Structure formats: structure tokens, C-alpha cells
Amino acid sequence: MQRYYPVIRVLSLVICMFGLTMLVPWALSWATHDGAESAFDEAVLLTVGTGLGLWYVTRKEKRDLTIRDGFLMVALVWTVLPVYAGLPLMIQLNASFTDAYFEAVSGLTTTGATVFEGLDTLPVSINFWRCQLVWLGGMGLIVLAVAILPLLGIGGRQMFKAETPGPMKDSKMTPRMAETAKGLWVVYTLISICCTLGYHWAGMTWLDALMHMFSTMGLGGFSSHDASFGFFDSPAIEAVSILFMLIAGCNFATHYVVLSGRSLRPYVTDPEAGAFLLVSIGSVIAIAVFLDVHEVYPNFSEALRFSAFNVVSIATTTGYANTDYALWPFFAPLWMLFLSSFATSAGSTGGGIKMIRAIVLYKQVYRELTRAMHPNAVHPIKIGSEVMPPNILFAVLAFGFMYMVCIVSMTLALSFSGLEIITAFSAVVASINNTGPGLGEVGPATNFGGLSDFQTWVCTFAMLLGRLEIFTLLVVMTPAFWRK
């Protein structure tokens, strides 16, 4: 057990840091006297107290983290922190541990699925905390820790590589991991400020603007209103949301290079950005035409408005809605759910397998078709001008296989528990892609509150698998990982 003390020591510091983030909704609760003051008092004390206790026990255990330690650390952070994140929900709302943990995981993994109703009547600090979790989870708590923990003498390379999404994790914007993490968070914060100002300009109150900025930048979809963006019924607010959802769906490393180099050229050379925008905008137009042909709305401009917002929301795995799109002809919501599986870029705050993997898989299929006709031809897979190394190609193929295995197995588990197949399948896809709303009983007009505890835990596990890109979590569950 003592060999894991260095990991626990780092975890204790992350728990302490996480406890300090609760001070923002704590201060808001005391400023507005919304009735949740004692809930945050207790939550902050328990979280920081536990972190300090673990740190005291392991304070003398100092060594660099190995790759194995990095995987364990990341798995622990994303499974342990939701326990503390759910404390205000259990204390203030009398939520069960299952529901509170699900809600906290949903926030931190930027899924945006909820089990709560009556969001408009919740204490403002509770809604603020839910949305803040999405913002923190968006760029990754580990990335934030890597930016700060070096000040405490703790190396973070293994944690960063284990947590960062995407198949090509060795590419670095700056020579040092801490500088990379700080650069990402600076860009994330600057764009977040612009998003807040945009929402307020479009008509939101400052509090609503801040809360929806949190869930927009994290592509998490939590809202302070049951009707989500239907509450505002504002094309201007929806336009601001579409813009920043598309920005957050792009690789933040590309944003960083653009801002630091003061040139838009990186967007042109980014192999994912063009494909992401082409697929998103093309789908918006196609579904708008589809809705217009089926006369779902009285004219094309209205069809385009609702198509643009909801398609971009689901494609970027945000999960906002301004109408119950589950009532549209079935092809439209099913296509949107499919888009959530691959549309966003690696290095973004979105979920799914990421556009870069989809491109690699497509090129591999095309290469196999060509090889069938020309067995002796050499067809290297290129991303931009770079040839894809075999080890990354094999990793992408393995990831794609495990992605399908996870969806099928968890859909069968939910179906076995009594859910009808559309709800079971869409709940798993929406959870593992960190999208939020699915179809059927978990559609945009409802929530996950009607699921049994077993079904809720299956979806919780799916959210964690999706956020940690499957292998980061599964590797910790293998017997070989725990052997000396």
C-alpha cells in the first residue's frame, strides 16, 4: 500500500485545490442568502479537511510519478472528486448518493445529463456549482493541476499524458508540461470571458451569462432552467451560443498557437478544424432542409434557426436544447446523436472518438479497399503532410473497437434491466460521448431522473469511460496493472 503513497499525496493536493473552488459558490450563497450556506460550509470543510488529512499522512512520500502512477492518479481524480462535488447536492437537496454522484460526474465529465427537476427553483449557488463543475472539467482538472503542482515540486508529465484527449498525446505546444497547461488555461479563460460578455450583450443577466458560459465552454449543457435555452427564446442568445460551441469544439492547442502567433494560418493547417466545421455546417443545412420538406416549421428560416442551434449543440456534445427535437422525424435526432460520436476535435472540451480518429479510420478503410484492388501498392496514411506512425494507427483501431464493444455491452445491460431499446442505446451513446440528452425516456424534454439506481450507475460508468477515453480507465482495472 505504501508504494501508492506518492500518488495519494498528489491526490490530496488536488482534493484541497478542488475544495477551494467551492469557495466561489459558497461566497455566492452567503451574498444572496439562498439557503444553501450551511451545505457549502460543510462541503468545503469536509473536502479540504480530507485533503489535508491525506496530505499529512503522506507528506514525506516524494518521488516522480511513473506512467503507471499517472494512469492511477487520473482514474482516482475523476472517480474520487465527484464524491466531494456531490456533497452540496446531498446536503442541500437531500439527493441520494447515486443521484448526487451521477450529477457530479455529469458535470465534471462535461456530459450535462441531469437527474434533477425544478432547476429554476434551486438555490442559485447550487446551479452555479453545477455549471462551474462543467467549466472545471472542460479543460481537465489534471491539466489545471499540472499548471500549479510544479510550484509544489511535483512533476506532472505522466498525469498530463494520461488525461489529455486525443490519439497524438506526445505533441507539445511548449517544451514543458506546466507551460503547456498554463497556456491552455489562459486561452480557455480568455475565450470564457468573451463568451460571458457575449451572453450578457445578447440579453442574459450576469449570473445566467456566467453559468451558461461555464457549460458552453465546457460543452457540458447544464442550465439553470428546466427549459434550457427554450427559456430565453432568443435568436441572439442562440447565435452567441452557436459561435462559442463551435470555438470550444476546436482544438484549444490550435487556439493557443493562433493567439500566440497572431496568425489564422494554424486553423487552415489543422486537419481537424476544416472537417469539424464542414460536417457541422453541412449537417445544419441538411437537417434544416429535411425539416422544411417535412413541414415541421412554417418556413425555412425558422427550420434553419432550430436546426442550427440543436445540431451544433448535439454535434459538439454540449446538450443544450431550445425545442424538443425528439418530436422531429426520427432521422434528424438520430443523425444528431451520430454526429456527437466523432464531430469535435481532439484537444477540445467535446466528447466522442474525436474527428482525428474518425479521419484516420476513414483513411484506413479506404487504404484497405485500395489494397484489395492493388495488393502490391504502398499507401501510407497521411494526416496533413505527416505519415501516420503504425503504433498510433493500431491504437486508433483498438480504440474504435473498444468504443463499439462498450456501447454494445452497456446497451445490453440497460436493455436487460428493463429499458426499451431506443432509450437504452441513446442513453449509453449520450453518456459515453459526454453529450447529455438522448432519445426516448432520456430525451431533451425529460432527464435521467427516471432511471433505476443500476441504470444510473451504468450511465455514470459510461460517462467516465468517455471522458477518460476508455483505456485510461480500463487499464487500471486490469490485473496486470496491480502486479509489482
Side-chain angles (χ1 to χ4, degrees):
M1 180 65 186
Q2 193 165 356
R3 68 189 175 113
Y4 298 116
Y5 275 14
V7 176
I8 297 173
R9 176 174 176 265
V10 178
L11 176 65
S12 70
L13 295 171
V14 174
I15 292 173
C16 287
M17 287 168 49
F18 186 69
L20 295 179
T21 66
M22 291 185 187
L23 293 177
V24 180
W26 170 83
L28 179 63
S29 181
W30 278 99
T32 58
H33 301 290
D34 63 0
E37 297 94 331
S38 60
F40 281 103
D41 287 345
E42 294 177 41
V44 171
L45 288 174
L46 283 170
T47 304
V48 176
T50 303
L52 289 175
L54 288 173
W55 173 82
Y56 184 79
V57 172
T58 59
R59 67 191 185 281
K60 295 180 181 179
E61 302 292 335
K62 297 181 181 181
R63 65 170 170 81
D64 287 338
L65 297 181
T66 64
I67 293 177
R68 182 177 298 194
D69 291 335
F71 280 112
L72 178 59
M73 176 65 201
V74 169
L76 285 173
V77 165
W78 288 96
T79 54
V80 171
L81 288 191
V83 174
Y84 298 101
L87 288 175
L89 307 179
M90 287 191 286
I91 297 168
Q92 180 64 29
L93 307 180
N94 294 317
S96 66
F97 176 76
T98 296
D99 285 349
Y101 190 83
F102 175 91
E103 194 81 6
V105 168
S106 180
L108 286 170
T109 59
T110 75
T111 304
T114 184
V115 294
F116 296 130
E117 295 179 342
L119 300 179
D120 302 78
T121 60
L122 292 183
V124 65
S125 58
I126 294 293
N127 270 328
F128 190 95
W129 175 236
R130 292 171 63 247
C131 295
Q132 183 181 316
L133 288 176
V134 177
W135 191 76
L136 290 172
M139 187 51 63
L141 287 160
I142 297 297
V143 177
L144 178 62
V146 169
I148 294 175
L149 293 181
L151 301 177
L152 305 172
I154 300 167
R157 178 176 296 270
Q158 277 67 39
M159 285 193 296
F160 185 87
K161 287 178 67 176
E163 197 277 339
T164 306
M168 292 180 278
K169 303 183 183 190
D170 287 322
S171 58
K172 301 183 285 291
M173 299 176 301
T174 56
R176 299 181 57 190
M177 286 293 166
E179 292 176 17
T180 298
K182 289 173 186 174
L184 288 172
W185 267 96
V186 167
V187 172
Y188 191 53
T189 304
L190 287 174
I191 300 175
S192 296
I193 292 170
C194 294
C195 183
T196 306
L197 296 174
Y199 274 141
H200 183 65
W201 167 83
M204 284 188 183
T205 64
W206 280 113
L207 263 179
D208 264 342
L210 192 56
M211 286 188 279
H212 287 87
M213 174 278 291
F214 283 152
S215 53
T216 299
M217 292 307 302
L219 296 179
F222 271 165
S223 177
S224 51
H225 306 287
D226 283 324
S228 190
F229 271 62
F231 173 86
F232 304 104
D233 192 23
S234 167
I237 289 176
E238 291 164 13
V240 172
S241 182
I242 290 170
L243 172 63
F244 283 96
M245 285 189 290
L246 289 174
I247 290 173
C250 291
N251 192 330
F252 273 84
T254 304
H255 295 321
Y256 175 87
V257 174
V258 166
L259 290 175
S260 60
R262 296 191 177 99
S263 169
L264 296 177
R265 181 164 177 75
Y267 288 132
V268 178
T269 57
D270 185 338
E272 290 180 285
F276 164 58
L277 293 175
L278 180 64
V279 167
S280 300
I281 296 171
S283 296
V284 165
I285 296 171
I287 289 182
V289 171
F290 178 77
L291 296 176
D292 190 49
V293 168
H294 285 77
E295 298 181 346
V296 176
Y297 295 102
N299 53 64
F300 179 75
S301 61
E302 195 168 346
L304 183 61
R305 171 195 168 185
F306 287 99
S307 171
F309 182 80
N310 292 284
V311 169
V312 170
S313 173
I314 302 303
T316 59
T317 74
T318 307
Y320 290 141
N322 62 356
T323 187
D324 185 3
Y325 56 78
L327 299 177
W328 293 351
F330 190 65
F331 167 79
L334 189 62
W335 175 253
M336 290 158 58
L337 198 63
F338 173 64
L339 288 177
S340 72
S341 299
F342 69 92
T344 57
S345 301
S348 72
T349 55
I353 68 171
K354 304 298 189 299
M355 181 60 77
I356 188 68
R357 287 195 182 98
I359 293 172
V360 171
L361 289 171
Y362 165 77
K363 292 193 173 188
Q364 172 64 11
V365 169
Y366 183 78
R367 182 169 74 167
E368 291 304 315
L369 292 174
T370 305
R371 185 178 290 169
M373 295 182 290
H374 306 285
N376 297 323
V378 177
H379 295 282
I381 293 178
K382 290 186 177 182
I383 300 297
S385 59
E386 306 244 344
V387 176
M388 177 69 61
N391 62 316
I392 293 181
L393 177 59
F394 296 149
V396 170
L397 292 172
F399 182 91
F401 174 74
M402 283 307 301
Y403 175 77
M404 295 305 301
V405 167
C406 290
I407 289 178
V408 171
S409 59
M410 287 187 285
T411 298
L412 289 173
L414 290 183
S415 182
F416 176 79
S417 70
L419 277 185
E420 51 89 17
I421 190 62
I422 295 297
T423 300
F425 173 72
S426 65
V428 170
V429 172
S431 297
I432 201 169
N433 290 337
N434 304 126
T435 304
L439 301 172
E441 296 174 30
V442 292
T446 56
N447 59 35
F448 285 64
L451 302 185
S452 68
D453 281 357
F454 171 77
Q455 293 162 351
T456 302
W457 280 108
V458 170
C459 292
T460 302
F461 182 62
M463 289 189 287
L464 288 169
L465 274 178
R467 182 61 182 87
L468 296 180
E469 303 217 324
I470 300 177
F471 287 109
T472 305
L473 188 58
L474 290 185
V475 72
V476 179
M477 301 170 67
T478 60
F481 181 86
W482 300 98
R483 295 193 193 112
K484 291 185 178 180

